[in-house]
């Protein structure tokens, strides 16, 4: 959705300007002294490793490119890995894989939470290593380094590779894990984990690194929306508005047309409650927390609300002012769904924005 659908120009310009401003502020922006040091350390190690895996977000495979790799000539030992495939449009991802193949780039799509997918990828890496060893028979250990911008899923991929590789090699011992966090920039140091034996393959997990400046407004907006840049640097409300703008211009909501209405869903629950009997019904009822936006019944309400607001919109999605009015109406409707007190106070808007962004980033709205 993100890489092909252009949001309204005003929102993109606004977010792009915020990203640019944050990048210019070296004291409190994303390019901290730690990130600068990490960037230098990674650049020093790239010529020393056997393979680099450039990890990109499958939703934004161009915008999430690791710019520092441009300092090195293209090589068959550089592999592009599109992570978070479960969050991306499957058909679009296949088109991107085809595109990179036509550019003579080795590219592989990954869902780090799918064991079979990880096993296949590990087999693919081992095949690449065996080809390398045919050329250099003196090598007994192969080193693979993951590089990428923040929050593209490097640590999750490392952990999955290490877990599957350790099991496959029947190695014992405590499982060392990389830290996985939804917050960008949590990986602080370069760490090494073994992912295969015979031949030995070690993978280096590195901190996420962004360029000091992001001048392209659309790239900045996409990176901010997918969580590569900390939300507070650009504004949670603006990010939620950008998400709604891209969502309203896409066809995602059309797949929800067969969702049962709230009344039908309530009737179905009442019917099940009668069949279960009073005690079981009370237990089921008490398990529903209206303020917990991650619960399934809330997610369904969010989908219905977005479907209804977009479907009933009679304006022009190309008109900036009309689109902004639609987004305002959606915020009001979502306040009720999320059980946030109605009103125009900033705290209520902030809560709606954060809940909506969380559902988007955790694939609940696909």
């Amino acid at each position: 959705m993100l890489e092909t659908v252009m949001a309204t120009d005003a929102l993109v310009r606004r977010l792009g300007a915020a990203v640019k401003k944050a990048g210019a502020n070296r004291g409190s922006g994303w390019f901290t002294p730690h990130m600068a040091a990490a960037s230098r350390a990674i650049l020093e190690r790239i010529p020393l490793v056997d393979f680099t895996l450039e990890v990109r977000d499958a939703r934004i495979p161009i915008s999430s490119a690791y710019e520092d790799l441009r300092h090195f000539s293209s090589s068959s030992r550089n592999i592009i890995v599109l992570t978070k495939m479960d969050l991306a449009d499957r058909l679009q991802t296949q088109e991107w894989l085809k595109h990179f193949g036509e550019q003579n780039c080795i590219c592989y799509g990954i869902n780090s939470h799918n064991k079979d997918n990880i096993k296949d990828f590990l087999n693919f890496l081992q095949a690449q290593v065996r080809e390398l060893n045919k050329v250099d028979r003196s090598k007994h250990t192969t080193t693979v380094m993951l590089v990428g911008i923040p929050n593209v899923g490097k640590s999750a991929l490392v952990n999955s590779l290490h877990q599957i590789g350790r099991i496959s090699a029947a190695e014992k011992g405590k499982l060392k894990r990389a830290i996985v966090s939804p917050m960008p920039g949590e990986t602080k140091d370069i760490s090494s984990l073994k992912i295969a034996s015979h031949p030995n393959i070690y993978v280096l997990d590195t901190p996420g690194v962004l360029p000091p400046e992001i001048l392209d407004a659309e790239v900045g907006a996409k990176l901010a929306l997918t969580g590569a840049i900390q939300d507070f640097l650009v504004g949670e409300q603006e990010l939620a508005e950008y998400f709604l703008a891209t969502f309203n211009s896409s066809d995602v909501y059309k797949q929800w047309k067969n969702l049962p209405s709230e009344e039908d869903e309530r009737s179905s629950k009442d019917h099940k409650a009668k069949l279960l009997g009073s005690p079981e019904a009370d237990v089921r009822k008490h398990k529903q927390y209206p303020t917990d936006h991650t619960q399934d019944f809330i997610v369904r309400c969010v989908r219905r609300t977005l479907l209804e607001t977009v479907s009933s919109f009679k304006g022009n999605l190309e008109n900036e002012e009309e689109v902004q009015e639609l987004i305002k109406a959606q915020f009001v409707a979502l306040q009720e769904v999320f059980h946030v007190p109605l009103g125009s106070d900033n705290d209520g808007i902030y809560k709606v924005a954060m809940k909506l962004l969380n559902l988007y980033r955790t694939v609940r709205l696909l």
Side-chain angles (χ1 to χ4, degrees):
M1 180 173 74
L2 287 183
E3 205 67 79
T4 57
V5 178
M6 184 67 175
T8 58
D9 290 341
L11 285 169
V12 170
R13 287 195 301 270
R14 194 187 312 157
L15 276 177
V19 169
K20 185 177 179 181
K21 181 179 179 181
N25 190 344
R26 299 298 170 81
S28 58
W30 66 77
F31 200 75
T32 60
H34 168 79
M35 184 173 286
S39 178
R40 291 192 296 270
I42 293 169
L43 290 175
E44 290 172 357
R45 284 170 172 79
I46 287 177
L48 306 178
V49 301
D50 299 293
F51 290 95
T52 57
L53 302 183
E54 183 193 359
V55 183
R56 302 190 188 186
D57 189 322
R59 295 168 295 178
I60 51 171
I62 300 299
S63 299
S64 59
Y66 187 68
E67 295 295 328
D68 280 347
L69 279 183
R70 293 186 179 183
H71 296 290
F72 300 89
S73 59
S74 60
S75 168
S76 60
R77 297 186 184 181
N78 297 333
I79 301 171
I80 296 174
V81 182
L82 301 184
T83 57
K84 304 190 178 184
M85 282 186 61
D86 51 320
L87 306 183
D89 181 276
R90 186 184 299 270
L91 293 178
Q92 288 184 11
T93 300
Q94 292 302 319
E95 288 298 316
W96 282 115
L97 291 171
K98 179 180 177 183
H99 166 78
F100 287 120
E102 292 172 348
Q103 302 296 316
N104 295 321
C105 298
I106 302 176
C107 188
Y108 204 101
I110 284 289
N111 174 358
S112 297
H113 306 292
N114 185 305
K115 289 185 178 180
D116 290 334
N117 195 189
I118 293 297
K119 287 180 182 178
D120 291 341
F121 182 58
L122 185 56
N123 290 335
F124 164 78
L125 280 180
Q126 290 174 313
Q128 296 292 316
V129 170
R130 284 192 289 271
E131 288 298 316
L132 176 63
N133 289 346
K134 288 180 182 178
V135 178
D136 186 358
R137 296 182 180 275
S138 64
K139 293 193 70 64
H140 300 288
T141 298
T142 300
T143 305
V144 176
M145 184 163 71
L146 273 68
V147 298
I149 66 172
N151 211 31
V152 289
K154 295 188 300 299
S155 294
L157 176 57
V158 166
N159 285 334
S160 295
L161 285 170
H162 179 46
Q163 187 174 33
I164 295 298
R166 184 182 67 99
I167 294 172
S168 299
E171 293 181 358
K172 299 180 181 180
K174 186 177 180 181
L175 179 63
K176 179 183 176 183
R177 298 179 65 85
I179 296 173
V180 179
S181 170
M183 296 298 293
E186 285 299 307
T187 303
K188 301 298 183 183
D189 301 298
I190 297 176
S191 59
S192 174
L193 294 171
K194 190 175 183 180
I195 62 171
S197 299
H198 311 298
N200 294 323
I201 304 177
Y202 287 85
V203 61
L204 302 180
D205 182 28
T206 64
V209 173
L210 286 166
E213 292 182 303
I214 300 174
L215 302 179
D216 187 297
E218 189 174 357
V219 169
K222 290 174 180 176
L223 291 177
L225 181 56
T226 52
I229 298 171
Q230 291 176 306
D231 292 344
F232 73 88
L233 292 175
V234 292
E236 290 82 0
Q237 181 181 345
E238 287 76 10
L239 286 171
E241 289 180 359
Y242 178 48
F243 162 71
L244 288 173
T246 57
F247 174 85
N248 293 336
S249 300
S250 73
D251 293 331
V252 174
Y253 68 91
K254 292 182 179 179
Q255 65 184 337
W256 301 337
K257 286 187 176 180
N258 294 325
L259 281 174
S261 67
E262 192 170 356
E263 184 178 345
D264 290 340
E265 192 170 331
R266 191 181 301 112
S267 298
S268 176
K269 286 181 180 177
D270 291 342
H271 178 65
K272 289 180 180 178
K274 290 180 180 178
L275 293 177
L276 288 171
S278 180
E280 292 84 353
D282 289 341
V283 171
R284 282 176 174 260
K285 183 178 180 181
H286 290 151
K287 285 184 178 180
Q288 292 191 354
Y289 304 98
T291 56
D292 181 2
H293 66 283
T294 65
Q295 291 207 304
D296 289 342
F297 77 101
I298 294 291
V299 175
R300 287 193 294 270
C301 286
V302 172
R303 289 175 176 175
R304 273 195 298 265
T305 299
L306 294 179
L307 170 64
E308 291 167 2
T309 52
V310 180
S311 300
S312 61
F313 178 63
K314 304 302 181 183
N316 182 4
L317 288 174
E318 300 297 323
N319 184 291
E320 300 284 355
E321 293 182 1
E322 293 184 18
V323 167
Q324 198 62 45
E325 287 301 315
L326 170 60
I327 291 173
K328 286 181 181 179
Q330 289 175 316
F331 259 89
V332 172
L334 289 172
Q335 276 190 268
E336 185 175 354
V337 172
F338 288 137
H339 294 270
V340 175
L342 294 175
S344 58
D345 63 295
N346 291 332
D347 184 58
I349 293 173
Y350 171 80
K351 288 179 179 178
V352 171
M354 289 303 297
K355 290 173 184 284
L356 186 62
L357 288 172
N358 176 261
L359 291 181
Y360 161 67
R361 290 169 177 168
T362 55
V363 77
R364 303 302 301 279
L365 293 181
L366 287 182

